[in-house]
Amino acid sequence: MTGVDQRTQDVGDVREQRRVPSRNLLINGGFAVAFVVLLVVAATSTDSFLTDDNLTNLLRQSVTTGLLALGMLMVILTGGIDLSVGSVVALTGIMAAGLAEGLPVPVAMLAAIGIGGVCGAVNGVLVAHFRLAPFVVTLAALTTIRGLAYVYSETPITPTEINFLTLGTELLGPIPVATLLMVVAFALAWLFLTRTTAGRAIVAIGGNREAVRLAGINVPRHVLLTYVISGLLAGLAGVILASRVGIAQPSVGMALELNAIAACVIGGARLSGGRGSVPGTFAGVVLLALIDNLLTLHDVQSYWQQVLKGLIIVAVVLARRREDA
Amino acid sequence: MLVLDGVRKSYSGVEVLHGIDLDAGPGEVLAVVGANGAGKSTLIKILCGAVKRDGGTVTVDGRPEQLGNPHAAAALGIRTVHQELSLVPDLTVTENILLGDLPTRAGLVDWPAAHRRAGELLRRTGFSGIDVRTPARRLSVARRQMVEIAKAMASEPRILILDEPSAVLAGDDLDQLFALIRSLRAEGVLVLYVSHRLEEIMAIADRVVVMRDGVITADTTPARTDEAELVRLMAGRRLDQIYPARRTEPGAELLRTTGLSREGCFTDVSVTIRAGEVVGMFGLVGSGRSELAEVLFGAAARTGGEIALAGRPARLRSPREAIDAGIALVTEDRKATGLVLDLSVRDNASLATMRTFRRRGLIDRVRQARSVGDLAERLDLRPRGISRPVGQLSGGNQQKVVLSKWLLARPKVLILDEPTRGVDVAARVDLYRMVDELTRAGLGVLMISSDLTEVLGMSDRVLVMHEGRVVADLRSAETDEEEVLAYSIGVAA
């Protein structure tokens, strides 16, 4: 039988070689090329790209998308979607600012993040236990939570406590604290998804829910968990955003969910679940921030920015797909 | 009619077909056999236009053909029933059969005509008793297979390729398939029949070609060869004994059911499984075998009766409870319910036991790798690496991964539902050997199979199910294939 098995093995090895690039972003051809090209273009086409101010700004601006994308990744891995995160950013931001009028700032912020978790839990219960479609549930949540943000305060709230701004603006050396927080969140998420039983279960659920159920794993509980994580991270993002801008508005964060989904997809996530990685998503977030930054530095009109961004996303995903095939 | 000359195919620089020459005529039933990885699937894919060949020519009716895409192949009358079923689950049987070719009237689908046509096609293939208005997802695997075959017939094929058609068919259904093949042969259709099941090939084929390592190693007829020789040609080695010699002194009772029922599936089933015993279960599709397995595993609820484990009543309300009570189930359809194809061997093998590898909140990767690696070694998993996605393994090796998953859970009772479906001979032998080893170590095994030879070869006792009831409990040594089959179709006294 050795002959036949040898053959099987050979074929398998070839496939593995062929697939490795798409599984490992660091050596992912198309993606790396896109990235390097953008960096080179950015650095050579304008003097202002490589300045401390600009780089710090870039890092800071990627925080919101980054945190949302991380939560989105968890949900997408199970085969779900969370369209409500942009609204959660608005609700938690404005509640943090509002609560900070009567409570110590850290307490107000934690409470607001908790509200984000509650939003996620409601989504999660409806999806996991009532078996409603994630798209529909979170679409309803998108409008409900946005409405709640306006109900809470129709007008923007400007926090008076000066330490409300610390989280969003403080620097640790050249790096914004918020950015560090995001990097820590990514590191923890990576550890969670690769090294914990719950994380592995989440990845497996998106790949084959029935096999996971028959392996004795509580599927609804894990699905619920992903929505709670997404809500908490959206809450954190909302608080950081309000803190950075220094003013909380109920209208903030429109369409942020789309950026988060785009970052996941650019990073190799599959919307039907089971495939996607934390490093890939991180790269997706940075790439999106880079595109935004570059277009702004070149004074591209904002409508054209949207058009170009859309085209670049399609190009990157096309390049990826060719490698996956 | 169909002539292949030096057909070659490489994937990423590695050649998997090294020049296939084949010449087949109308009205011929040509069996293609070979172990997994021999190149059969690639050959089929080339013929049905799913992949392009790199070299050589394919001539159909004397004209060289490109076969660049499935459309081109279909236009030549080449139809394929794939091993992986391809029905759209939410569409009805009618829509699946007539997909892309629904009859219309005044621009709208003419549903009465469509249902009639689909019904006729099903009847023509000999598979009656399927409601054409049912969504495909409600059908059992065997029924779906029948629908697939009817679908292939919808376009009057001239060359019909059947890839492992019998993997899910048994008894009457298989006879129907054979009757269909014979009538197609009479009409001058060329039938390419790919199967692991040599008995069937000996029964139905006019000619047998054996593939190994991407070449055709033998071209013979059933009259000139026998199963032992075919196995030798496929495997490149002699399989003196496929089934291990059973010597059994059953030990303590592990599992007993009394009057177990699930409405609409099976009724009043009382079985006992003892330590060290392989209990075979044979029954035709729809006899309630798989449903019984699900109930024993807590994956489906029972509506009556008792289950006792080691003499104590057990509730088994979920797979988790069953696993904790020492029951494991290798399901019938490993791709749909057994494996997460994108994930690695390591992840899949430890799916049911992840928490036992936990140390300070994290999975202890070293211990996990050692446990999975040990099993890979014991089961002779090929290739051995445990970080490869299971989707890249052959069917036999995928089944070894499923088995590993359950062995890590250290079960007392192992339920195997069609464990060798789509598994090549060599991997089968490994699985059989493993089952034998496990029972020697005191496990009790319930082995559900629609392969008569396998059931009798592997088990100490055979339970025969017919229409949801266990109609016979026979000692394998004292019965034979005819008797078991007779019970299963309800004709035995």
Side-chain angles (χ1 to χ4, degrees), chain A residues 62-76 85 186 230 233-234 237 256-257 259-265 277 281-282 284-285 288:
Chain A
S62 59
V63 169
T64 313
T65 314
L67 291 172
L68 297 184
L70 200 51
M72 190 69 72
L73 174 68
M74 307 273 174
V75 174
I76 286 179
V85 291
F186 270 87
S230 179
L233 288 172
L256 278 185
E257 61 279 352
N259 277 339
I261 295 168
C264 292
V265 172
S277 75
T281 304
F282 188 78
V285 169
L288 280 180

Side-chain angles (χ1 to χ4, degrees), chain B residues 145-375:
Chain B
Q145 175 76 274
M146 299 168 190
V147 173
E148 290 276 1
I149 293 169
K151 183 176 157 189
M153 300 304 300
S155 56
E156 311 263 323
R158 302 185 51 241
I159 300 175
L160 180 66
I161 304 171
L162 298 167
D163 188 6
E164 296 284 348
S166 63
V168 297
L169 300 179
D172 270 357
D173 299 334
L174 198 53
D175 291 342
Q176 287 298 349
L177 177 65
F178 283 4
L180 174 67
I181 291 175
R182 288 193 187 99
S183 82
L184 288 172
R185 171 167 59 191
E187 293 166 24
V189 175
L190 165 62
V191 180
L192 288 187
Y193 191 98
V194 181
S195 177
H196 289 307
R197 300 196 178 175
L198 301 180
E199 284 159 75
E200 291 166 10
I201 282 166
M202 300 303 276
I204 192 75
D206 300 318
R207 210 174 119 199
V208 186
V209 296
V210 182
M211 289 185 72
R212 195 172 82 218
D213 295 347
V215 293
I216 289 178
T217 54
D219 189 340
T220 177
T221 66
R224 281 191 277 136
T225 186
D226 57 29
E227 291 179 33
E229 190 191 30
L230 286 177
V231 168
R232 207 161 55 237
L233 287 166
M234 284 162 62
R237 76 162 186 223
R238 259 190 92 92
L239 295 173
D240 286 327
Q241 201 144 32
I242 291 184
Y243 303 108
R246 301 283 313 157
R247 43 94 243 167
T248 174
E249 279 307 318
E253 174 187 311
L254 295 176
L255 180 147
R256 173 191 288 275
T257 73
T258 326
L260 195 65
S261 303
R262 175 171 166 82
E263 220 167 296
C265 297
F266 56 86
T267 318
D268 198 18
V269 169
S270 300
V271 302
T272 311
I273 299 168
R274 297 182 192 81
E277 193 177 35
V278 179
V279 178
M281 177 163 276
F282 182 83
L284 301 184
V285 170
S287 60
R289 327 162 289 186
S290 297
E291 290 83 355
L292 176 64
E294 281 181 14
V295 167
L296 291 179
F297 188 60
R302 60 180 186 252
T303 52
E306 307 291 330
I307 303 174
L309 295 173
R312 296 167 50 171
R315 305 181 68 169
L316 306 181
R317 285 165 306 181
S318 71
R320 184 77 255 162
E321 283 188 19
I323 294 166
D324 291 341
I327 299 176
L329 168 65
V330 172
T331 52
E332 184 181 9
D333 187 342
R334 67 182 160 264
K335 284 191 179 166
T337 57
L339 292 169
V340 187
L341 295 175
D342 282 327
L343 291 187
S344 63
V345 170
R346 170 211 287 266
D347 276 327
N348 274 286
S350 52
L351 198 58
T353 46
M354 272 195 295
R355 44 186 198 175
T356 64
F357 295 112
R358 212 156 38 185
R359 205 174 51 136
R360 287 194 232 107
L362 297 182
I363 294 169
D364 183 344
R365 304 258 303 168
V366 176
R367 201 152 53 85
Q368 187 193 29
R370 202 183 311 128
S371 298
V372 175
D374 282 351
L375 269 173

Side-chain angles (χ1 to χ4, degrees), chain A residues 97-243:
Chain A
L99 292 173
E101 286 170 358
L103 295 167
V105 168
V107 177
M109 287 183 163
L110 284 175
I113 293 169
I115 298 285
V118 172
C119 293
V122 173
N123 282 334
V125 166
L126 290 172
V127 169
H129 294 279
F130 290 87
R131 296 176 163 272
L132 300 182
F135 190 96
V136 177
V137 168
T138 59
L139 187 64
L142 176 148
T143 163
T144 309
I145 296 169
R146 176 70 63 188
L148 286 175
Y150 279 105
V151 168
Y152 186 80
S153 172
E154 216 174 311
T155 51
I157 300 178
T158 313
T160 44
E161 286 281 345
I162 188 71
N163 59 355
F164 189 87
L165 308 180
T166 310
L167 187 61
T169 54
E170 194 72 16
L171 293 178
L172 208 77
I175 302 173
V177 168
T179 306
L180 285 178
L181 213 56
M182 176 186 75
V183 171
V184 169
F186 270 87
L188 287 176
W190 178 79
L191 199 65
F192 173 72
L193 283 179
T194 56
R195 295 288 306 276
T196 68
T197 55
R200 294 321 286 160
I202 285 168
V203 178
I205 285 169
N208 190 339
R209 176 180 294 251
E210 185 62 10
V212 174
R213 183 179 82 92
L214 291 177
I217 292 170
N218 187 331
V219 174
R221 187 192 296 164
H222 286 95
V223 171
L224 171 60
L225 178 63
T226 63
Y227 286 90
V228 172
I229 292 173
S230 179
L232 286 172
L233 288 172
L236 180 60
V239 169
I240 290 175
L241 186 63
S243 165

